[in-house]
Amino acid sequence: MALRIIATGGTFDKHYDEIAGKLGFGASHLPEVIKRSRITIANTLEELPLLDSLEMQDIDRRRVLVSCSHAEEKAIVIIHGTDTMRETAAVLGVANLDKVIVITGAMIPYEIANSDALFNLGFACGVAQVLPSGVYVAMNGKIFNWDKVQKNRGAGVFESLS
Amino acid sequence: MALRIIATGGTFDKHYDEIAGKLGFGASHLPEVIKRSRITIANTLEELPLLDSLEMQDIDRRRVLVSCSHAEEKAIVIIHGTDTMRETAAVLGVANLDKVIVITGAMIPYEIANSDALFNLGFACGVAQVLPSGVYVAMNGKIFNWDKVQKNRGAGVFESLS
Amino acid sequence: MALRIIATGGTFDKHYDEIAGKLGFGASHLPEVIKRSRITIANTLEELPLLDSLEMQDIDRRRVLVSCSHAEEKAIVIIHGTDTMRETAAVLGVANLDKVIVITGAMIPYEIANSDALFNLGFACGVAQVLPSGVYVAMNGKIFNWDKVQKNRGAGVFESLS
Amino acid sequence: MALRIIATGGTFDKHYDEIAGKLGFGASHLPEVIKRSRITIANTLEELPLLDSLEMQDIDRRRVLVSCSHAEEKAIVIIHGTDTMRETAAVLGVANLDKVIVITGAMIPYEIANSDALFNLGFACGVAQVLPSGVYVAMNGKIFNWDKVQKNRGAGVFESLS
């Protein structure tokens, strides 16, 4: 079993720029986070351009698809913004790759108090090793099929679409 | 799907007592940790006496077994000290319950910098929903069968026993 | 010796709103921060409207002045945004109150990793007990007179104005 | 104005050793803490052997005294364990150096949640720049003369000795 972790940005990876006084993107937190997690399973981190998922274009989603289809690993975890997680999941879902792709992210950036980022990464790294091939969104301690999920923005939680 | 989380102490839940100047046990961190994780899946937290796993006796392991066998939930996550995780796993394993029981813990207490606790909890809460019935140890981003695992104390990691 | 701490917002007290996905203001962190600091000196926390200091108007600065002049305590620490710290310091400085007023803040919000907030609060609470009456800005481990300080925005540090 | 910071260990600088499962001493946190504090005042960090202050011997206190008397800086902050802070303060106090020496520490290690370490360091770095020559203990947001202080171990706070 080996794991590929693909960083695409999103709330999980936002960083406070003290000169600009804003949250944006700097170096990914993932190398530190993975080290902290003490994972001994073989893993590769691939960093794509870090983006707010509201600013992701078709070309960005295709880049994620290309990374997934070229990956040597069967199990893939994607760190992604929550707002368009579903759209990227759909691009990957219709491609019907023979892989287990689990998309996760965070409601609070990793570097901010009370963040869910580390829990979500652990959750995703776990289920990616056990689920059958397919594309999933993993948030709020739940696993959703890529075509049965929506973000309830008012409540800040992911829900099943029936 | 519903989840039972059973707290038994261990490094995960240790707390620094500033009067004694030592790590020990106070109130469990689990209520705060679960809230932080933003889990929307139905879950129940059961707090057993919080113990250093080196001080766990047979009676303590039987108490964990009783909790598991009485649980209404099929999926159970147990927070446990790492040093005798394997012994408790064995007590649960031979009982052969029709449940998915995932035992996890932490190398660094939740309240100390660089802790793996939140990652491990997320990992365990994920795989407990997907694995077939059985008893597992989940540490270092890996899933071990209860009778095929050992802690390498010198390296501080869990390994497969073949 | 007694201390008044006046919260006016600024980077120090910003809070990440996970629904909006932005930093803004919620409840002040100061009650928690003061408790954490284990201050046994008599102290009173006064919370004014929490503002980004770039949005502070004359009326907001006058409100700070009124709080200072009405304070029973001789030693006052003000938590303030860094961008217009100097302007508020000037309003207080020309008023020439017989008080020790120390204005501080943070380059990184208290709730974000690597924040200087707690250091700066400790620094300000210390010097406010020892300095002679006057109005000071305390940032970067330095004490500046209110009319001899500027923020170097490119470098993100406070400097003496000679 | 320049500042010397002398690390001697104590609760402030304790580190959790995940292999031993205990708090002890590793590399000092002070380089990271000082960087985080964004101090622009000239400062030098001197690391003495890191000790639990209950294990400090006369020779260890004399080493601190030698460091203080040889220091080029007038203002000195010493990071020290709380249990024998008073004893070291006495050794420095009777030496009657023409320096401002401020001894501080923490009730909770820097790397553990809810620590007062960063507040105390900021407090000490501030008052060391303003107080007249002498030896002081700075804890709980208070400044104590070296011969008028005791730790109330039951309450975990420092008090004036009258």
Side-chain angles (χ1 to χ4, degrees), chain A residues 26-41:
Chain A
S28 173
H29 295 93
L30 266 301
E32 173 194 333
V33 176
I34 291 170
K35 195 173 171 200
R36 170 178 181 172
S37 301
R38 292 160 177 74
I39 306 178
T40 54
I41 193 170

Side-chain angles (χ1 to χ4, degrees), chain B residues 63-83:
Chain B
R63 193 191 292 123
V64 177
L65 174 59
V66 169
S67 288
C68 289
S69 54
H70 286 191
E72 292 174 16
E73 299 83 359
K74 175 110 189 223
I76 300 173
V77 169
I78 300 173
I79 308 302
H80 196 287
T82 58
D83 282 320

Side-chain angles (χ1 to χ4, degrees), chain D residues 97-102 132-136 146:
Chain D
L97 306 173
D98 183 27
K99 306 241 177 223
V100 187
I101 300 174
V102 181
S133 290
V135 176
Y136 307 89
W146 65 268

Side-chain angles (χ1 to χ4, degrees), chain A residues 36-38 40 115 129 140-141, chain B residues 36 38 40 115 129 140-141:
Chain A
R36 170 178 181 172
S37 301
R38 292 160 177 74
T40 54
S115 173
Q129 296 177 49
N140 299 116
Chain B
R36 170 177 180 173
R38 292 161 176 76
T40 53
S115 172
Q129 297 178 48
N140 300 114

Side-chain angles (χ1 to χ4, degrees), chain B residues 11 21 30 32 37 71 105 118 128 133 138 147 154:
Chain B
T11 296
L30 265 302
E32 172 194 335
S37 301
L118 194 58
S133 290
D147 55 353

Side-chain angles (χ1 to χ4, degrees), chain C residues 86 89-94 103 134-137 144-149:
Chain C
R86 180 187 174 189
V91 168
L92 300 174
V94 298
I103 309 177
V135 175
Y136 308 89
V137 165
F144 302 93
N145 283 309
W146 66 268
D147 55 353
K148 301 277 194 235
V149 62

Side-chain angles (χ1 to χ4, degrees), chain C residues 36-41 107-108 114-116 118-119 121-123 125-127 129-131 140-143 157, chain D residues 36-41 108 114-116 118-119 121-123 125-127 129-131 140-143 157:
Chain C
R36 170 178 181 173
S37 301
R38 292 160 175 75
I39 307 178
T40 54
I41 194 169
M107 289 304 293
I108 305 246
N114 200 30
S115 172
D116 52 334
L118 195 59
F119 178 92
L121 180 66
F123 189 96
C125 288
V127 298
Q129 296 178 49
V130 188
L131 285 166
N140 300 114
K142 278 193 180 169
I143 304 155
V157 295
Chain D
R36 169 177 180 174
S37 301
R38 291 160 177 76
I39 307 178
T40 53
I41 195 169
I108 305 244
N114 201 30
S115 172
D116 53 334
L118 194 59
F119 179 91
L121 179 66
F123 189 96
C125 287
V127 299
Q129 296 178 48
V130 188
L131 286 167
N140 300 115
K142 278 191 180 169
I143 304 155
V157 295

